[in-house]
């Protein structure tokens, strides 16, 4: 197997995820885009591990570690997004700066 195929696929996946993080306003879609970016990194780790014929399989072990961390991140992130949606009625990232605005107004009033 050529290394170029998974590397190009990983680059495309990472680019799609980066676009999703930068262009989306919905917090859930931003979290999904981060997951796509992490999966692109995992694909690269496994592809280079196979290409280098590593006897320790460090790339695959690191991939498992990244998957575990990503699962914990998405669980906590989704819980935070659901609580914010319950309190504010929106999951729009641009509208989640209310707390900072309130603190600035409170400091300005004091």
């Amino acid at each position: 197997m050529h290394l170029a195929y998974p590397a190009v696929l990983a680059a495309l996946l990472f680019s799609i995820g980066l676009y999703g993080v930068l262009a989306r306003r919905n917090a859930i879609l931003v979290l999904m885009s981060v997951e796509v970016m992490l999966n692109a990194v995992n694909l690269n780790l496994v592809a280079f591990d196979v290409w280098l014929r590593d006897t320790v399989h460090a790339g695959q072990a690191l991939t498992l570690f990244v998957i575990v961390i990503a699962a914990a991140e998405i669980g906590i992130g989704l819980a935070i997004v659901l609580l914010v949606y319950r309190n504010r009625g929106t999951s729009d990232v641009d509208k989640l700066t209310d707390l900072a605005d309130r603190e600035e107004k409170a400091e300005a009033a004091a």
Side-chain angles (χ1 to χ4, degrees), residues 61-93:
L62 188 58
T63 297
L64 288 175
F65 180 72
V66 170
I67 289 171
V68 168
I69 296 300
E73 173 257 336
I74 198 68
I76 292 172
L78 189 58
I80 291 170
V81 168
L82 289 175
L83 285 174
V84 167
Y85 181 76
R86 187 186 310 170
N87 290 335
R88 305 266 172 96
T90 183
S91 63
D92 190 2
V93 177

Side-chain angles (χ1 to χ4, degrees), residues 12-85:
L12 288 173
L13 282 174
F14 193 85
S15 300
I16 291 170
L18 185 63
Y19 173 75
V21 167
L22 296 176
R24 298 293 177 188
R25 293 188 175 160
N26 189 346
I28 294 176
L29 292 178
V30 170
L31 287 174
M32 288 174 58
S33 298
V34 170
E35 291 295 322
V36 170
M37 291 169 64
L38 288 173
N39 285 330
V41 171
N42 288 339
L43 181 61
N44 266 337
L45 285 171
V46 172
F48 277 98
D49 185 51
V50 170
W51 184 64
L52 293 173
R53 292 183 176 90
D54 187 15
T55 57
V56 183
H57 299 295
Q60 294 178 19
L62 188 58
T63 297
L64 288 175
F65 180 72
V66 170
I67 289 171
V68 168
I69 296 300
E73 173 257 336
I74 198 68
I76 292 172
L78 189 58
I80 291 170
V81 168
L82 289 175
L83 285 174
V84 167
Y85 181 76

